[in-house]
Each structure stands twice: as C-alpha cells, then as structure tokens.
Amino acid sequence: MAQAPTTTLTQNVLRDGLILPRTPDPAAMVIFGASGDLTARKLMPALYNLALNRYLPSGFSVIGVADTALSEDEFRAHMEQAVQKFSRTQPVDRAVWQSLAEGISYVRMPFDDQDGYGRLASELDRLDRERGTAGNRVFYLATAPQFFPVIINRLGTSGIARAGEGWKRVVIEKPFGNDLKSAQALNQAIHAVFTEQQIHRIDHYLGKETVQNVLVFRFANGIFEPIWNRRYVDHVQITVAEDIGIERRGKYYESAGALRDIFQNHLLQLLSIAAMEAPPNFDADSVRDEKVKVLKSIHPIDVANDVVRGQYGQGWVGGQQVPGYRQELNVSPTSTTETFVAVRLKIDNWRWADTPFYLRTGKRLPSRASEIAIQFKNPPHLPFAKTAVQELTPNVLVMRIQPHEGASLKIAAKIPGPVLRLRTVNMDFFYGSSFMVESPDAYERLVLDCLLGDATLFAREDEVERAWGLVDRIEAGWASQPPPPFPNYAAGTWGPEEVDALIERDGRRWRRP
Amino acid sequence: MSNHHTEMTTRTFVDVHAIQEELDQVRWGLHEDKEQGEAAQHAAAEARASVLNLIAVVGNEAQLGVVSSVLDRLSITNPSRTLILLAQHTREADKLEAEVSAQERTESGHRVTTERVVLHAHGEPARHLASLATPLLIPDLPVILWWPGRPQFDNPLFDDLCELADRLVVDTDEGFDDADLTNLLHVARRHQAQASIGDLNWARLMAWRHVAAQFFDMPGMLARLTQVQGVSIFHGSDGATAQARLLGGWIRSRLATVGLEVPLELRPDDSLEHGIHRFLIYTGGDDGPARFSMTRLRGGRLSTQIRLGDQDLAERTVRLESRAPEELLGIELTLPGHDALFERALASALA
C-alpha cells in the first residue's frame, strides 16, 4: 500500500519539468459560421493539430453552428475533408481525427433564431453531462462581421453566455468594425454580454511565431535596447508588401481598402511592437498597456502631407502580366478604393520624439515582404578620407517577418587593398538556419491561448479603438481632398510616385525590401 | 520542399594547427582553388549561424557510419561544429588522423553549413583525444558530448570529455544494465557543477509523462494525485527494461516530493514489442477508486482513458511520436542544463 501523503497538493507535480503548455480545462467550442471557409481552412486544421500534439483536454468538444442543411455526419465528413486538405501535418492520422470527431456535433440554425439557441443550449448541456465540459465554453464567431452583434445579443438573451458553472469566452474575427464608431458600437454590444476579460479579438498576425520573435529579439538581447531610441535611430521603415492582388475578395476589398485591411491592424501591430517600451512581464495587460501607449503617443497625422494612397493598374509581377485593380472580379470599373497606403508618423514620447516612422503596405508590389527596418544615424565623425567612405551607407538593422524570417545588419568594412576604402556589407541571419523546424500555424497558438484564457496575443478594446481613430482621421482627410487619379501605380512597382516624395523631402529613401 | 546537400570539401590532416586552419577555410570558404572558391564565396557572403559544438564518440567504423548519418540529418536543425572521435585505444600501433569536411544543406530556401572533423586514433593517442578536441571547438558555444551505445565509464577519455562538455547525452535504451545506470547516476552527481546529463530514452518518455500529467490537470482530479495507490507498467520482455524503470522512477520520484511512497509493478510480457506498452495509475481514497490508463496503439498512437468507479470517461487518442535518433538528440540539445527531474527518476529507478 502507498503511504499517505503528508502535504496537500496545490500544483500538479507530474507537470514539473515538462516544457509544454498547461492543459486547458475540458470545454466546448461553439463555432458560428461552421460551414464557412475560415472553419475549413484554419480552425478545424488547427484543432486537429492541437489534438494530435496532445494539447487538447479529454472531453474537448466542438459544436458547429450554421444555416447550411447538413446532417451531423455530413458536417463531420466535411470537416474531415477540410483537415485532409488543409492540415499542415500530413498524412492525417485517422485515429486521432476519429477521437476528435467523436466530440463534434452540428446545430443548424439561422444566427438570429431564438429557438435555435434553445437547441444549442440543450446540446451544450448534453456535452456537460456526457463529456464533462463543465460549463466551459468558447464562442468562436467565424462569420461575416454583420452577424457579430446579433449572435452576441442572442447568446445573452438566451442565457447561454452566462449559464451555470464554468468559464465563457468569445472570439471575434477580424475585421472588428470598419471605423471608430462601428468598433465602439460593436464593443458596446459585446460588453452588454461579456466582460473585456472574456473577449478575444483575433489579429492572426500576432499569433505568428515571427511576430512574437520581434519581441524576443528586442527584449531578450541586452545589446539592442540601449540604442533603440531617438539618439541613435535616424528613422524606422515598416513594410507589409504583397505581390498578389485581391484574388477573389473584390467585394470585401471594395469596402475595406489597404487602410482597413492591413494598416489598421497588421501595420499598427508591427509599429507597436517595434516602438513599445519593455513590459514589466509578458502577461496580457502588461504587453497590451505598452502597445496602447505607443498608439496614444502618435502625433496627429497631417493627412495632406504625410499620407499617400494608390491603386494599381495593370502591369507585370514576377514575369506575369496582371490586370489592374479596376479589372478584378467584383470591383467597380470606377473604384476609388486604395490598394496602397504609405504613412509618415511621429511618436510623441521621450524615446522617439522627432524620429519619423514610415509605414507602407500595398497589393501587387514587386515582391512579398514584411519587415521592420531600423536605420541608425551616421557616426558623428568619420576619421577617413572622403574618397574612402563614399560607398558607405548607414547601419540598418532589419527584422524580417516574412518571407525568410530573420535579421540582418548592415555594417561598414574595409575593402582589402593598400588603399583605405570602406564599403557596406550585409550580415544576414536566417532564423531558419538555427531553428529549421516547422512552426505551428498562428491559429493553433491563438486557439490554445484562448482555451487557456491568455489574451496577450489578442487585441484589447482600447487598442482597437485607438487604431480605428487613426484610420478615421486619414479617411476624413481623404474625404476633404479630390480623389487621386486612380490607378496611379502600375502593378509590379513600389507604389505611386508621390510615395518617394513623402520620404525624400526628409532627405531619406525607401528601402527595397 | 526543396532539399539539397553538398559536401564542400574533405581533406585529411594530422597536425592540430593544420586542422584548425582547414576548419577556418571551410567555415569561411577561403579556398583558393576554383571549385572550392565558388562554394567559398557563397559561404562567405553571409554570417554563419552555429548553435553548438558537438562531440560524438564511436568505437568502430560501422558505428561511425551510423552516427555520421544521424549527425547529417541533425545538422539541418542544429548547425554546429561536429567532432566525431573514433577512439580505438585497444588497437596497437599509435595512429592519429583527422579528416575535415563541411556539409552544406539547403531546405526550403534555407542554407545551413556544418563543419565536421573525424578524429581517428589508435593506441595511446586514442586515450588523449580530448587534448586534440579542445582547440578545435568554437568559443562561447556549448559543448555537447554524445556517447552512442554504452559509454566506457572507466576509460580516461570519458572523464576527460565529460570535463570538457556542458552536457553528456546517452541513450539508456541501448542496453544499459544496472551497473551502467548506477555509473550514469554517479557521473550526474559528480559532474553536477559541470556536465548535465541528457538521455534519449528520457526524451522518448515525454509523451507518456505529458499525458499522465494531463490527467491531473483536469478539474477535480488534482486531489486524486495524493491518493495514488499503485502504478503498473507493461513492457516488452526483450531484456531492455531501462525505459520502463525510468518511467516508474519518474512517477515514484515525483510523488515522493509530496510524501507519497508508491508501489510500482513492472510487468514484462512476451507478447509485447520493445518498449512500454501500457501505463496504469490507480488511485483510491474518499473519492472512490479510479484508474488512469495510457495504452500504446499501433501506428504511433496513445489511447488514454479514465475510469471512475465503474464509469469510463471520455477516451482520447493522441500521437505517440516514434522519433528518429536525430530528433531525440535535437530535443536534448535544446533543453536547459541540469535536469534534476531526470536524475531523481534515475535514482528512484535504481532504488
């Protein structure tokens, strides 16, 4: 017989030494929009890979909700096909899938149907009884944004959002609103049912290993922070360039444009993590407090002088002739939607005063690249002959997000020979060379974090509203100007001519990423 | 996934300075001849990423071949300076020979380069290879000593290399008997301030440990951990018991930290394949009897189940990775230093 223990356990001693995430509580995830593209391409493959790698708890269950006529078996078969097609790990392990699929059910209902929520509540009760989900729920809104308020409302009025024991969390997909007013209205609608701690607003960019690595690069290496400020940094360029067009998203893109699609979220996220102060620790509020401080410190943008917008015409990208934006599917032939935006920002704080940040994003640019480039000031004095240093350019530290995640540093070196001549060389480091392992998909990380109640990599209410405030200011500025002569850049170029003037008037030049 | 592997150069040397010079040549690509020059320019065009120095000790040519191919595959994820010591002190006639080479691999657009030195020694030099290895290491990077098979604990080379290393990696599944395990524990304790111990067998147990811990992460289950009344481990009866003993040692040592002394039953079974087949944890107490079971299934899977009284709770099937040696080695190379849990598990397995 075992001897009786002398202490009461407060923690799981079997978990000690396992460098693995905590196991979430058994829970039911209700996916609204379960017959849609996001569920098939991202959510279900993410859940399968989490199950495969032992990150999901026993009893974990999924209820798909949609208004598509599907039997439960058809829904499971549809999900299995999706996993077969989109899982990052192949081949799909049938036994693991089967084990996950045992907990998958389907409720067909229109999202505003009060009776449907009654059936959903019954199904959740069944899972609590039969699979031990203990009242823990994640409501994942993978629908078109117009359904967000009604789903939230019905979750509240039906009592599902508050019923019984266990925790309740809600995940809201991007876009979160389309301006400050709509974002505030959506926040208000959600807060009528859920507290801020329960809300997880997705920006999948933050789930990327590469973006998290920027934080590690800055705050786990002692040598960069001392020079990461106005004293040593001349300016910062942040680029999110895409070589693809809008593909089949014409309808969405017509109402969004580059400003809402990329600037409001991805570009401002990169700005925040590049410019923020070190948080005291990496809990959700400490990190997000620092990011919000950056957004709060952005000097009011002079739209006429500091923002350039563009729209691509036809051109050549990667050796292929491509149509202009106005010729794309579901796009108006007279569209004034921008597919390119560049912004010159200043951050009014001690660290960054008078250090410009140049942000740009666009479709159909010559190459795909996301990066943060820190250009340092020239040395105060060069003790070399003028002819020796004519090829010298300033030090630049680049943190590449994609493709080829890594860092590079441009430094000066002597050209071998009897005469002292200097030139710039690039020291390139690919993370892949040191960690040539497959990274989990961003959705795997974010779904797991949500199940664990960690909101660090999700956007907070004030963060989202600050970002929309900036977008609104730019939109208002544009509304007061005559529309530019779109299209104003050819596909396969780095944007309209004015974008060069935006930076060259400061005596600087855009990098070629 | 594109995959490309090039051997950039292979030359043979006997003098340490010549070896060092050749290593610099292959590392920075400074060869003058035309063919090497191209590769050299390629290599010199960017900073080189290296994460560690790896010393592997082999006893014969056949083992050298196996270890070389494991290290080839390992180099994709761990660009390193690798020294392979083929030490045959029992062979007469002193001999010392070094072969320097560089391997370049390209996968998915990433290129990694690894330098490798094979040091082949007979007779007396074989006992003193550590003196040759030391100057060939890249400064400031950790030194990992991988000793495949059963280490020669009484060979002075073993002690010398342990002195040099930050981590000693072995595989107790390679026929370690009681004396070997005892020696390993002795090394772990003796070298506590220096080399930490890594065991590929311990890395293999990760999935079992993870799933066992997850049972007690579940709501209401933590209290049952204080009510464990026994543990059973079913394993293949092919003579290799180190894996089952280590798993048993692990759970006993963990529960000992909360004052619980748990009986362990190791059950060899002729019908089972090599390794652990089933791991059962029994609990009792006021909450009634419960059984937490983990069963290995064919195809690299693990089935888990909880039985409370006579009620079976939700069953789950997860992956039980069958990891290749280079993957296990890769895990050991990224773990932080001293692994007190492993040492306690080992001590408990021997108790």
Side-chain angles (χ1 to χ4, degrees), chain B residues 237-251:
Chain B
S237 63
D238 57 354
T241 60
Q243 205 177 103
R245 294 176 69 188
L246 206 51
L247 183 64
W250 165 70
I251 193 156

Side-chain angles (χ1 to χ4, degrees), chain A residues 1-26 48-60 88-89 91-100 102 129-132 134 136 403-405 425-438, chain B residues 45-51 75-79 105-112 206-219 222-223 225-230 250-251 254-255 257-263 281 297 299-302 304 306 311 314-321 323 334-336 341:
Chain A
M1 278 299 282
Q3 274 182 8
T6 53
T7 52
T8 306
L9 276 188
T10 53
Q11 63 175 49
N12 183 350
V13 290
L14 300 188
R15 182 157 282 287
D16 294 350
L18 285 171
I19 310 170
L20 294 164
R22 199 158 52 84
T23 315
D25 298 333
Y48 163 74
N49 278 294
L50 288 172
L52 183 71
N53 291 307
R54 306 185 294 273
Y55 293 138
L56 292 184
S58 292
F60 178 80
R88 69 180 171 85
T89 55
V92 169
D93 187 316
R94 209 174 146 69
V96 171
W97 166 256
Q98 213 55 49
S99 172
L100 178 66
E102 278 170 18
R129 280 193 317 275
E130 294 179 9
R131 295 181 58 81
N136 299 319
H404 307 309
E405 180 199 13
V425 294
N426 220 23
M427 283 202 332
D428 241 344
F429 171 64
F430 289 95
Y431 282 110
S433 303
S434 295
F435 306 101
M436 204 176 273
V437 290
E438 193 180 8
Chain B
E46 62 175 63
R48 291 282 312 280
S50 300
V51 294
S75 69
I76 301 170
T77 49
N78 291 272
R105 272 184 175 273
T106 310
E107 258 193 50
S108 304
H110 296 300
R111 187 175 65 247
V112 292
M206 180 92 80
W208 294 94
R209 292 166 54 210
H210 188 197
V211 171
Q214 284 181 318
F215 283 135
F216 302 95
D217 281 340
M218 292 176 68
L222 185 59
L225 200 50
T226 62
Q227 305 288 348
V228 175
Q229 298 196 324
W250 165 70
I251 193 156
R254 295 318 301 143
L255 293 174
T257 62
V258 292
L260 200 60
E261 196 178 305
V262 176
I281 303 168
L297 305 177
R301 299 182 196 107
L302 199 56
T304 74
I306 302 175
Q311 187 198 358
E315 206 173 316
R316 189 167 72 121
T317 305
V318 293
R319 180 161 60 178
L320 175 64
E321 302 91 342
R323 296 189 188 276
T334 55
L335 291 179
L341 256 69

Side-chain angles (χ1 to χ4, degrees), chain A residues 104-380:
Chain A
I104 297 180
S105 53
Y106 182 70
V107 173
R108 183 192 173 188
M109 63 184 228
F111 298 134
D112 60 352
D113 174 20
Q114 197 68 51
D115 291 344
Y117 287 84
R119 282 182 281 126
L120 176 59
S122 304
E123 180 60 11
L124 285 164
D125 286 344
R126 182 186 72 80
L127 294 176
D128 286 348
R129 280 193 317 275
E130 294 179 9
R131 295 181 58 81
T133 45
N136 299 319
R137 326 251 186 263
V138 174
F139 303 104
Y140 200 115
L141 275 53
T143 65
Q146 67 262 31
F147 295 114
F148 294 166
V150 69
I151 295 169
I152 298 287
N153 173 273
R154 297 294 190 274
L155 286 172
T157 54
S158 65
I160 293 176
R162 296 189 191 87
E165 307 268 302
W167 47 256
K168 315 283 183 283
R169 292 173 193 139
V170 62
V171 183
I172 317 278
E173 267 293 334
K174 171 184 125 148
F176 193 90
N178 54 20
D179 56 18
L180 177 58
K181 200 172 154 195
S182 61
Q184 284 172 328
L186 184 54
N187 272 329
Q188 207 170 5
I190 303 172
H191 280 147
V193 180
F194 296 100
T195 63
E196 183 60 29
Q197 285 70 33
Q198 294 175 286
I199 303 168
H200 293 67
R201 298 173 190 82
I202 287 238
D203 179 346
H204 73 273
Y205 227 55
L206 282 178
K208 285 180 181 288
E209 291 275 317
T210 48
V211 173
Q212 295 160 43
N213 230 335
V214 175
L215 293 171
V216 173
F217 187 88
R218 282 194 60 195
F219 301 126
N221 293 295
I223 59 171
F224 298 118
E225 272 312 287
I227 55 168
W228 209 268
N229 56 49
R230 64 189 300 273
R231 191 165 171 199
Y232 298 100
V233 174
D234 179 74
H235 73 280
V236 179
Q237 293 185 24
I238 303 178
T239 302
V240 175
E242 296 177 284
D243 53 3
I244 56 169
I246 54 164
E247 302 194 300
R248 302 173 72 83
R249 299 193 307 149
K251 200 173 161 196
Y252 158 74
Y253 205 85
E254 275 286 85
S255 63
L259 194 61
R260 289 186 173 82
D261 189 43
I262 302 288
F263 175 85
Q264 186 270 344
N265 39 74
H266 301 339
L267 262 183
L268 290 180
Q269 289 289 354
L270 292 183
L271 171 73
S272 300
I273 60 175
M276 69 191 265
E277 300 296 319
N281 56 54
F282 263 73
D283 66 37
D285 277 333
S286 300
V287 172
R288 296 188 297 181
D289 284 348
E290 295 306 333
K291 285 165 63 189
V292 170
K293 278 186 207 166
V294 173
L295 298 178
K296 276 185 185 170
S297 310
I298 292 175
H299 189 84
I301 298 169
D302 175 356
V303 179
N305 289 310
D306 290 341
V307 182
V308 171
R309 58 180 153 159
Q311 186 192 78
Y312 63 86
Q314 62 173 322
W316 289 79
V317 180
Q320 302 278 326
Q321 190 168 24
V322 296
Y325 176 70
R326 289 177 175 181
Q327 286 79 54
E328 301 272 15
L329 190 69
N330 294 326
V331 170
S332 160
T334 57
S335 173
T336 55
T337 302
E338 80 288 351
T339 61
F340 178 95
V341 63
V343 182
R344 177 180 182 274
L345 291 174
K346 285 205 168 175
I347 297 175
D348 290 338
N349 62 22
W350 277 47
R351 186 190 280 263
W352 294 119
D354 300 324
T355 308
F357 284 70
Y358 302 95
L359 279 58
R360 62 179 164 168
T361 182
K363 295 274 187 195
R364 288 287 190 218
L365 300 184
S367 60
R368 171 174 164 256
S370 294
E371 62 168 39
I372 299 167
I374 314 287
Q375 182 164 322
F376 293 91
K377 291 182 176 174
N378 281 317

